[in-house]
Amino acid sequence: MNDVRKPWGRWATLGLAVVALLVGQLAGLAALAVYYGASLGRLPDFSGDGVAISLIIFVSTPIEVALLILFAQWRGASWADYLGYTLPRKADVIIGVSAVIGLIVVGNLVSWVLGRIIVTPFQLNIYRTAEASGSLPLLWLWLGVVVATPIGEESLFRGFLFRGWLTGPRDAWPVILVTAALWAVIHVQYDWYVIAQVFAFGVLLGWLRWASGSTLLTMLLHALINFEGMLETAIDLKWFN
């Protein structure tokens, strides 16, 4: 039996991660096409629709995570250990929450100084369209962004990829930086400035994943980041739009 210290190799890890991501996303897009009765060519029209985004999240995330669990089990290891699904220490939670709050504050101050908007048009659009569809679609958007998305993305980037690429102490910072960069570039809905902010959060999450050994911690912190973003969006729409 292979144990958790012998993960998939670097290229196999990347290939399997891409498979999990693509299969999940394609399933989400297929569900979107069926739900709206739309052709594949019309799917980009729903890129700013909060209901459509929620549907994609809730279809793609379980499939992606299930595949990652399956790939982890193929190594003969505990999938929970492989993906870093271990409870963090209380001190790690306190440090992580404090660091994330600090980075949010610094990011907002930098945006204010540079004259950059804090809430992006994409955030406003998905929130506004979900809210226009009723309280239940808005609730599903909150759950999708704050709960489901952190589970899926952290399982992939700070879980599966991190485990497969971290073969020794010298790999720590290269893996932290590469996973943060890959996580940032999938956020194609944002401009370069916001993608740079996502990268900064990714570096912090990666370091905390390495220091704590817990992907559950990064899920919690990712959820906190997304919750703050949704809250800022709600406030912006209520008071400034």
Side-chain angles (χ1 to χ4, degrees), residues 51-123:
V51 176
I53 296 297
S54 300
L55 178 60
I56 292 174
I57 290 172
F58 280 109
V59 172
S60 64
T61 300
I63 294 173
E64 178 184 308
V65 173
L67 286 173
L68 294 175
I69 290 173
L70 177 62
F71 298 153
Q73 286 183 320
W74 277 355
R75 298 304 290 170
S78 162
W79 65 266
D81 289 340
Y82 194 101
L83 296 177
Y85 281 23
T86 58
L87 289 174
R89 296 179 293 271
K90 182 179 179 180
D92 291 329
V93 175
I94 293 172
I95 292 171
V97 169
S98 300
V100 163
I101 292 174
L103 189 54
I104 289 172
V105 171
V106 170
N108 285 350
L109 284 175
V110 170
S111 296
W112 179 73
V113 169
L114 295 178
R116 304 281 308 195
I117 58 173
I118 293 177
V119 181
T120 68
F122 174 78
Q123 292 171 273

Side-chain angles (χ1 to χ4, degrees), residues 118-119 124 128 231-241:
I118 293 177
V119 181
L124 294 171
R128 186 184 291 113
L231 186 61
E232 282 185 336
T233 304
I235 293 172
D236 190 287
L237 283 171
K238 182 176 179 60
W239 297 106
F240 301 107
N241 282 276

Side-chain angles (χ1 to χ4, degrees), residues 28 32 35-36 43 46-57 129:
L32 183 65
Y35 183 80
Y36 284 102
L43 293 185
F46 300 97
S47 59
D49 186 287
V51 176
I53 296 297
S54 300
L55 178 60
I56 292 174
I57 290 172
T129 51

